[in-house]
Amino acid sequence: MKFVVKAWSNGGARAGILHLGTSTIDTPSLLLSTRKGLPHFISPDLLSCLPAPESRLLHVSPLHFLEGLSMKTISKIGGLHQLLGLHDHCFVAVPRDSIQCLPEANSTNKIGASFETPCGRLLIKPVEYMEMISSTRPELWATLADEVPAWVSDKRNKTSVDRTIKWLDECISISPASGAVFGAIVGGSSLEERRRCAQEVATRNVSGYWVGGLGLGESMDERPALLNAVIEALPEEKPRLICGLGLPEEILQGIAAGVDIFESTYVAQFAMYYHPTCLLTMLIAFTAIYRKDTTSIVEGCTCYTCRNHTRAYINHLLNVHEMLAQILLEIHNTHHFLGFFRLIRDAINAGRFEEFRREFVQRWR
Amino acid sequence: MNWPRALLTDSGGFQMVSLLHLADITEKGVTFQSPVDGKPMLLTPEESIQIQNKIGADIIMALDDVVKTTITGPRIEEAMHRTLRWIDRCIAAHKRPHDQNLFGIVQGGLDPVLRDICVRGLVDRNLPGYAIGGLAGGEDKDSFWRVVAQCTATLPEDKPRYVMGVGYPLDIVVCSALGADMYDCVYPTRTARFGTAIVPEGVLKLKHKAMAEDTRPIDPTCACMVCKNYTRAYIHSLVTKDAMGSQLLSFHNLYYMMQLSRNLHSSIVQGKFPEFVCNFLQKMFPKGDIPEWVCNAMEVAEIDISSCCAPFRYIQATKVQSNLNEDEIQAV
């Protein structure tokens, strides 16, 4: 993995280039969320209709595979690329998946991190996690963390930082030869703990940083200070990855603080709950007013869905419960969200990120 | 739909009868309960054709009076005659005979006399194509193939014969041997949603625990995207839990059916149809235990499959196998 910062705009926001696997990705960039490695609805043969190479970063939670596929079998098959038949894509492994594999701080203990998953509550030990990493062979992976929500006691929060650092060291020591390691940074909603954790992790031999524990109850107002406390302690030249920021506004917060890669469940949520998204206009629900609307979801959008289908058709598909609706919506929403990131990169490169952010937030609200 | 290729619409008759409660059939049409608000609605031959004219498919189906083949008695005869009266109403109502081909549907249950009357009646109307309806409803296979054979023997040679609701690959091979040309069935996609793949040997149940460690493709002889890229183990982890599982299996199953059609077509064109049939049957029945109804149908179709049958096969009385998709596939 190689990362180079190319441009800055108004302080923390930066644009860079990430070389990962066989891909060269411009940052800030988005990880597409997956379920067992593939999108929720977009079938592998349709992935090529998404803009490349920015659509090639996939977030994978190794925990998904615990429901029905052993690590031994995945290893035998040859890792994620072979398992998923996706040879041009890059996999970023982070255990937390903000829709279905949520950290369960109450059950996490010194032995391992607890997650609430579709196959029940699971306790993942660092050594088990590393077995998952070495079997799946992602290009990039985050170390195991003890993520706690914003409302825990100071004592619990401090423990989470100590534990996360300890597990980081364990993970690195078991680390497989390939795959870039991102050190996990937690600290809840305490500025000191966030700073402390970041400073510790900054001394470790990692390729980048994964900012965890956000999107778990802290308010949008609290977040910038927490992000800054972390980022200030980190070296500029290494990339920063964050999970759990869903809304476009939250993404902008992260970018302003200096985050480079984002995992967001925004698209997945909408595809699953039947809403197409037009970031610069109101969200459209599948109500009767679209029954005869022969325009595309977003005028001028070049995605497969907008080039080929009308609102009326998608409205019909939703009404008759056809899965094609979710497929078409996930394609559009992903395409659109990637377009949002492209606008962000353009704004940073032109030195006008804060202006872009202000305008967007105004129109969005 | 933005679909640039051929389209066929059904009349709506079968769906009403099979999917809705309280469907009542009279001379006027079919009265049913609207699935939207429960109010009684009437679908007449005229209205069915009108709707199909608006949708604009290349082939449209006449509204027929469908009865289940498991029913006996005068209802079957009534339905067959009504189907003939309705075809005239359909023809009269059809506003686009130059872009849309109206197919008539042969009814008559399992009664050869009734079927014959219906065939003659439809052929008199000189339609662009003919469907063989009222089958694929749970009747025994021995009766099924005989009805198909009778219809294909008496329907015109130069018009397509469409066996509605068929079906399983074996049924398609048999019907093709008997002279049918077109088929439709929910089977490939429905069985995919339940985690079952169609393979040359029959079926493969991906839900089975043994699949969790199986790193082979679903079908090593299949060239589809799914078989080229995915293992049984991965598909196993998806099926019945993730939408993607249904998608990938549907893809494979549909590809399989299209490949089967392609192979049937090219083997006939190349004059190698009997070999194809034997090959097909050998893979599906490696022990030679081909169901009697298949042997009988192939005999009538004049296809020699003796090389695939176990010796003395035709002397023994055997149970008819009608539910292939319930066989467990053993390790190949």
Side-chain angles (χ1 to χ4, degrees):
Chain A
M1 186 214 88
K2 216 180 76 141
F3 178 70
V4 180
V5 181
K6 285 281 174 194
W8 284 263
S9 178
N10 317 103
R14 63 216 211 137
I17 300 185
L18 178 73
H19 300 273
L20 192 62
T22 53
S23 299
T24 300
I25 313 272
D26 292 326
T27 65
S29 59
L30 173 70
L31 300 182
L32 302 193
S33 68
T34 64
R35 180 87 199 115
K36 294 173 186 154
L38 290 180
H40 300 260
F41 298 102
I42 306 176
S43 56
D45 54 322
L46 291 178
L47 278 175
S48 55
C49 81
L50 292 173
E54 58 252 59
S55 62
R56 293 218 189 115
L57 284 181
L58 301 182
H59 167 229
V60 178
S61 166
L63 306 188
H64 290 176
F65 299 109
L66 297 176
E67 185 189 38
L69 195 54
S70 75
M71 287 300 142
K72 214 176 78 179
T73 306
I74 296 180
S75 197
K76 183 175 164 201
I77 293 171
L80 290 173
H81 287 277
Q82 292 302 117
L83 183 73
L84 306 170
L86 296 175
H87 301 282
D88 295 331
H89 287 71
C90 291
F91 298 101
V92 175
V94 176
R96 169 180 167 190
D97 146 16
S98 307
I99 297 182
Q100 289 189 311
C101 291
L102 299 161
E104 186 40 65
N106 289 336
S107 305
T108 295
N109 54 39
K110 63 183 175 190
I111 298 178
S114 177
F115 292 88
E116 202 61 68
T117 75
C119 37
R121 195 168 293 179
L122 302 172
L123 189 71
I124 310 291
K125 303 177 201 163
V127 67
E128 287 167 343
Y129 180 64
M130 289 316 297
E131 196 207 330
M132 292 180 209
I133 297 298
S134 62
S135 301
T136 52
R137 292 175 230 173
E139 274 78 15
L140 198 161
W141 54 276
T143 59
L144 191 65
D146 177 6
E147 293 180 88
V148 297
W151 53 79
V152 298
S153 67
D154 291 342
K155 184 163 173 240
R156 177 68 183 89
N157 195 23
K158 186 174 178 305
T159 306
S160 79
V161 172
D162 294 335
R163 225 176 245 162
T164 298
I165 295 170
K166 178 163 169 282
W167 289 346
L168 184 156
D169 289 333
E170 264 187 71
C171 287
I172 294 181
S173 71
I174 316 172
S175 172
S178 63
V181 189
F182 273 35
I185 298 169
V186 292
S189 51
S190 154
L191 292 173
E192 302 98 76
E193 286 302 304
R194 282 275 170 192
R195 203 170 290 127
R196 176 170 80 94
C197 195
Q199 282 164 349
E200 274 296 328
V201 176
T203 66
R204 299 322 198 253
N205 182 18
V206 292
S207 305
Y209 307 97
W210 174 62
V211 184
L214 291 176
L216 291 177
E218 79 286 353
S219 70
M220 266 193 72
D221 296 328
E222 286 177 82
R223 205 179 290 136
L226 294 169
L227 284 171
N228 290 335
V230 169
I231 304 283
E232 273 159 17
L234 302 176
E236 272 202 349
E237 69 278 5
K238 291 191 184 172
R240 301 91 176 240
L241 161 65
I242 197 166
C243 291
L245 301 190
L247 298 175
E249 248 183 308
E250 298 178 303
I251 305 279
L252 292 171
Q253 256 188 347
I255 296 192
V259 178
D260 308 293
I261 310 168
F262 294 79
E263 179 266 327
S264 161
T265 52
Y266 191 60
V267 169
Q269 282 174 341
F270 283 113
M272 278 154 67
Y273 300 117
Y274 316 149
H275 294 261
T277 177
C278 319
L279 289 174
L280 302 182
T281 62
M282 292 287 289
L283 295 175
I284 299 178
F286 65 107
T287 53
I289 59 172
Y290 298 108
R291 228 162 49 88
K292 298 188 181 178
D293 192 336
T294 55
T295 61
S296 56
I297 298 176
V298 172
E299 200 186 309
C301 175
T302 55
C303 82
Y304 176 89
T305 303
C306 290
R307 280 186 287 113
N308 289 292
H309 295 293
T310 60
R311 294 177 181 191
Y313 184 57
I314 296 174
N315 179 268
H316 161 71
L317 292 173
L318 289 165
N319 284 323
V320 296
H321 310 292
E322 279 293 331
M323 186 161 60
L324 182 58
Q326 275 94 305
I327 300 171
L328 293 176
L329 288 178
E330 193 178 29
I331 290 175
H332 168 79
N333 291 350
T334 303
H335 187 103
H336 209 79
F337 209 35
L338 288 170
F340 174 61
F341 274 80
R342 193 174 284 189
L343 291 175
I344 291 172
R345 291 193 293 271
D346 289 346
I348 295 175
N349 285 320
R352 45 174 298 275
F353 174 70
E354 277 305 319
E355 201 185 311
F356 169 83
R357 184 185 180 189
R358 248 193 331 268
E359 276 170 17
F360 181 89
V361 170
Q362 243 172 2
R363 264 194 286 182
W364 179 249
R365 292 232 175 100
Chain B
M1 287 168 53
N2 195 13
W3 179 255
R5 298 184 221 144
L7 274 174
L8 182 153
T9 49
D10 200 358
S11 60
F14 176 75
Q15 285 74 19
M16 282 187 299
V17 166
S18 63
L19 301 176
L20 299 172
H21 301 296
L22 305 178
D24 187 32
I25 304 175
T26 63
E27 192 59 28
K28 258 203 298 197
V30 183
T31 318
F32 58 99
Q33 252 190 345
S34 160
V36 176
D37 56 14
K39 287 206 216 107
M41 293 182 69
L42 174 68
L43 184 70
T44 60
E46 289 77 13
E47 176 139 11
S48 171
I49 297 300
Q50 196 188 45
I51 294 170
Q52 292 188 77
N53 281 157
K54 286 206 188 115
I55 296 173
D58 307 280
I59 297 175
I60 68 175
M61 304 305 296
L63 184 67
D64 53 344
D65 186 357
V66 193
V67 284
K68 291 204 179 94
T69 40
T70 42
I71 288 176
T72 51
R75 174 76 188 103
I76 304 179
E77 182 164 0
E78 179 194 47
M80 185 277 288
H81 287 294
R82 183 170 290 141
T83 295
L84 285 178
R85 290 193 294 276
W86 280 1
I87 188 69
D88 288 332
R89 286 168 62 182
C90 289
I91 294 169
H94 187 18
K95 295 282 173 286
R96 303 177 57 186
H98 301 293
D99 359 78
Q100 296 181 284
N101 299 279
L102 173 64
F103 279 27
I105 307 178
V106 180
Q107 296 292 346
L110 304 174
D111 183 338
V113 172
L114 296 178
R115 286 276 174 180
D116 189 57
I117 297 171
C118 203
V119 166
R120 286 178 202 286
L122 291 176
V123 171
D124 278 348
R125 271 81 171 171
N126 194 26
L127 295 163
Y130 302 94
I132 301 166
L135 295 173
E139 71 282 346
D140 68 287
K141 287 294 192 228
D142 191 58
S143 312
F144 160 75
W145 80 261
R146 288 177 202 280
V147 172
V148 174
Q150 182 195 354
C151 292
T152 53
T154 46
L155 286 167
E157 286 283 310
D158 61 343
K159 303 250 175 94
R161 300 89 169 273
Y162 164 26
V163 190
M164 302 186 81
V166 169
Y168 302 134
L170 180 62
D171 296 1
I172 288 179
V173 171
V174 171
C175 290
S176 301
L178 294 171
D181 310 292
M182 289 166 58
Y183 309 93
D184 82 281
C185 198
V186 296
Y187 175 63
T189 46
R190 174 175 290 164
T191 209
R193 291 197 302 275
F194 289 106
T196 300
I198 308 176
V199 292
E201 295 73 22
V203 297
L204 191 66
K205 292 194 170 172
L206 273 306
K207 256 170 67 175
H208 201 277
K209 258 193 226 136
M211 297 290 132
E213 319 259 288
D214 196 334
T215 57
R216 293 173 292 175
I218 290 171
D219 174 10
T221 67
C222 179
C224 83
M225 179 256 301
V226 180
C227 292
K228 287 239 155 307
N229 287 292
Y230 300 100
T231 55
R232 296 173 181 193
Y234 183 64
I235 307 281
H236 166 82
S237 73
L238 295 176
V239 290
T240 72
K241 298 197 205 92
D242 297 291
M244 189 57 66
S246 297
Q247 279 203 56
L248 294 177
L249 269 188
S250 293
F251 191 104
H252 163 79
N253 285 357
L254 289 172
Y255 187 97
Y256 180 90
M257 299 304 286
M258 292 178 67
Q259 188 61 47
L260 176 65
S261 310
R262 216 172 282 134
N263 291 340
L264 284 166
H265 176 91
S266 56
S267 70
I268 293 170
V269 164
Q270 290 164 21
K272 296 187 179 155
F273 183 65
E275 287 112 277
F276 175 78
V277 173
C278 283
N279 207 279
F280 177 87
L281 291 174
Q282 256 156 6
K283 287 206 205 106
M284 197 172 274
F285 304 101
K287 295 191 209 137
D289 52 338
I290 297 173
E292 198 171 338
W293 72 272
V294 176
C295 298
N296 295 338
M298 288 303 176
E299 202 177 318
V300 165
E302 295 174 23
I303 303 289
D304 178 10
I305 57 166
S306 52
S307 63
C308 340
C309 291
F312 311 116
R313 177 66 194 69
Y314 43 88
I315 294 174
Q316 296 162 15
T318 356
K319 283 201 199 107
V320 170
Q321 282 186 40
S322 57
N323 281 326
L324 273 181
N325 67 337
E326 267 155 32
D327 289 346
E328 286 275 19
I329 192 84
Q330 301 302 312
V332 172

